[in-house]
Amino acid sequence: MALARFLIGRLFKAALVLLAVLVLNFFLIHAAPGDPAAVMAGEAGAADQIFLDQLRERFGLNLPLHEQLWIYISGVVQLDFGFSYRQQMPVLDLILDRLPATLLLTGTAFVISLIMGVAAGAVAAMRRGRWSDTAITTAALIFYATPLYWVALMAVLLFSVTLGWLPGFGMETVGGNYTGLDRWLDVAEHLVLPALTLGLFFMAVYTRMTRASMLEVSRLDFVKTARAKGLKPGVIQRRHVLRNAILPIVTLAGLQAGQMVGGAILTETVFAWPGIGRLMFEALLQRDYNLLLGVFFISAAMVILFNLVTDLVYRIADPRIEAAG
């Protein structure tokens, strides 16, 4: 019953946040310089005033802003995100076509960064002051401070161009026409470089945070009591230290999972990965308002969903925590 109240309360708040994001994005996009009708007219090779007026009337761009907003919100409620001027397709179809690629990339990067980051941070904390601790913390600092685009370009140059070990661009081999298991293996091979590149920064964050959190917990009284009882060091670290140190990392991971979706723009652009990040970048250049708003809305919805899942995991990890309604 408490869980049901928690879920209903969070879903209600999520709906309010999504509405606020929708309205804010709408006004911000329309406040940006550039006229989508002029872009479409320029691509059609006819930029006279009559043609511009026809385009504005056809796509409702000549209506007052508050009427455009009401029409847009009414459509979103019915899962109608409008029509892409540039792509000549419904926005929802475009997003659904690209979303699986982004979820595959960000999901893989998230899992890799979380598992490897927590493992490296735990090893560093248990071997504090030794050479392995120094090596792990130094590597984490380097990955944390290195710009993502530089890592992506160097990864392509080294592992794809120079060594030829991994493909550097795209999601599948062009002309490969693979099916079944061969296709999955082909996609997995293309996924290695972009997923590792996207996950390196977050891996460094989890490593540093896990190490600091475990060192802090290891100084608490209940851990000293466990040592006094004669428990083995491995058992103390696993059952008492890591279990309690993992809670703030779960919270951070939930927040960063949503950020990772938005941060995939650069990775998808460099590696030509056909996800919604790259779609958003193209829509921005083309002043495709409806498509841009649709991608923003889906990204915000995913961030909120990840936060909700994080709260649920937090309650499971520590049942003593009572979620505020």
Side-chain angles (χ1 to χ4, degrees):
M1 192 63 184
L3 181 61
R5 283 200 303 270
F6 165 75
L7 285 175
I8 292 172
R10 291 304 306 268
L11 289 174
F12 178 72
K13 290 178 182 176
L16 292 180
V17 171
L18 274 178
L19 179 62
V21 169
L22 188 68
V23 173
L24 182 63
N25 284 339
F26 182 87
F27 284 114
L28 287 176
I29 290 294
H30 284 77
D35 183 358
V39 174
M40 287 184 284
E43 292 177 352
D48 58 273
Q49 189 59 44
I50 297 176
F51 188 62
L52 286 173
D53 293 340
Q54 289 176 344
L55 286 175
R56 291 193 180 100
E57 183 176 358
R58 177 184 174 188
F59 294 108
L61 299 172
N62 58 339
L63 296 174
L65 205 55
H66 67 278
E67 289 187 26
Q68 292 187 46
L69 175 61
W70 174 249
I71 293 172
Y72 186 72
I73 292 177
S74 302
V76 170
V77 171
Q78 304 172 54
L79 291 181
D80 179 6
F81 292 89
F83 196 79
S84 169
Y85 315 131
R86 178 68 175 79
Q87 307 283 350
Q88 294 295 303
M89 284 181 66
V91 169
L92 186 59
D93 291 348
L94 283 168
I95 292 176
L96 292 179
D97 184 53
R98 299 288 192 97
L99 190 59
T102 294
L103 291 178
L104 177 63
L105 172 61
T106 54
T108 305
F110 177 73
V111 171
I112 290 174
S113 62
L114 186 60
I115 293 176
M116 295 186 68
V118 171
V123 171
M126 288 187 286
R127 297 180 175 274
R128 182 185 181 190
R130 301 181 183 178
W131 70 268
S132 52
D133 176 28
T134 304
I136 290 173
T137 52
T138 302
L141 182 61
I142 292 173
F143 293 147
Y144 183 81
T146 305
L148 182 62
Y149 70 90
W150 188 86
V151 174
L153 293 175
M154 290 302 105
V156 171
L157 183 63
L158 177 60
F159 296 105
S160 181
V161 177
T162 303
L163 300 175
W165 290 353
L166 294 165
F169 304 102
M171 185 174 173
E172 297 181 62
T173 302
V174 177
N177 298 321
Y178 296 118
T179 58
L181 180 61
D182 290 338
R183 188 188 177 204
W184 281 105
L185 292 175
D186 186 47
V187 172
E189 194 178 31
H190 283 77
L191 183 62
V192 173
L193 286 183
L196 286 177
T197 301
L198 183 60
L200 274 181
F201 172 81
F202 297 97
M203 190 191 307
V205 173
Y206 299 142
T207 299
R208 292 166 61 86
M209 191 166 182
T210 302
R211 180 183 182 276
S213 184
M214 285 187 66
L215 291 178
E216 183 180 352
V217 172
S218 65
R219 290 192 286 267
L220 297 180
D221 290 340
F222 70 91
V223 178
K224 295 177 182 176
T225 303
R227 290 197 188 99
K229 288 181 178 178
L231 292 179
K232 295 180 180 179
V235 175
I236 295 174
Q237 293 291 338
R238 188 174 62 254
R239 292 185 181 176
H240 297 280
V241 178
L242 182 59
R243 183 178 179 183
N244 288 277
I246 203 77
L247 292 176
I249 299 166
V250 170
T251 305
L252 180 68
L255 295 173
Q256 290 189 333
Q259 294 176 0
M260 198 175 280
V261 175
I265 297 175
L266 187 59
T267 306
E268 290 183 358
T269 303
V270 172
F271 290 98
W273 190 264
I276 61 171
R278 193 175 167 204
L279 184 67
M280 181 166 61
F281 181 69
E282 294 168 356
L284 181 64
L285 295 179
Q286 297 159 355
R287 304 291 191 275
D288 197 338
Y289 288 168
N290 285 341
L291 182 54
L292 205 51
L293 286 170
V295 175
F296 283 164
F297 181 83
I298 294 298
S299 300
M302 293 177 66
V303 171
I304 292 172
L305 177 63
F306 282 130
N307 287 337
L308 179 60
V309 172
T310 301
D311 288 341
L312 288 174
V313 172
Y314 209 92
R315 287 169 61 96
I316 294 171
D318 189 350
R320 296 169 300 177
I321 298 172
E322 289 293 335

